[in-house]
Amino acid sequence: GQPRHRLLIVEDQPENRLLLRRLLEPFGFELREAVNGQEAVALFEQWHPDLIWMDIRMPVMDGLEAIRRIRATPAGAQTKIVALTAHALEEEREPIMAAGCDDLVRKP
């Protein structure tokens, strides 16, 4: 009896998008995908997801810029954003969180 939550997967690597989709689909989330930050911002503006899984390094527009643009909108303040990164250095965490992420997950 709970509402169906909208999740946006933003990842330039098809294998990583597929992995997240297969992990999340069984829980009944409504899922959409974007392959770069520019697509993510456009989808956010028209679809208003509840949570965004955002890769940080992507072509066209990186995840940090997309996060900043999303957070600059009134609806962006309500959306949870989790950064996805393959870079495991702790000093990279601070700028990612400062861009507006709610949390960070390191990719294997």
Side-chain angles (χ1 to χ4, degrees):
Q2 293 187 1
R4 192 162 182 216
H5 293 286
R6 295 175 170 189
L7 277 62
L8 175 58
I9 300 167
V10 186
E11 169 67 59
D12 62 323
Q13 298 299 316
E15 300 84 9
N16 294 343
R17 283 195 314 274
L18 180 61
L19 174 63
L20 277 170
R21 178 172 280 285
R22 289 201 175 154
L23 287 171
L24 297 168
E25 270 181 333
F27 296 102
F29 295 116
E30 189 176 340
L31 302 172
R32 294 213 183 154
E33 299 175 10
V35 298
N36 60 58
Q38 185 175 348
E39 283 186 18
V41 171
L43 264 171
F44 170 79
E45 290 172 349
Q46 52 185 248
W47 190 57
H48 301 287
D50 300 299
L51 183 137
I52 300 172
W53 292 95
M54 180 75 73
D55 186 17
I56 296 302
R57 296 185 188 225
M58 296 177 288
V60 183
M61 179 190 296
D62 68 20
L64 294 178
E65 181 60 25
I67 292 164
R68 287 184 199 103
R69 290 184 186 198
I70 289 167
R71 289 291 189 218
T73 68
Q78 304 301 317
T79 303
K80 298 297 181 190
I81 302 175
V82 178
L84 298 170
T85 182
H87 301 279
L89 300 176
E90 190 58 36
E91 58 265 14
E92 292 179 340
R93 181 182 177 83
E94 187 176 326
I96 291 170
M97 299 304 288
C101 287
D102 295 293
D103 208 347
L104 179 138
V105 173
R106 289 180 174 88
K107 296 187 271 187

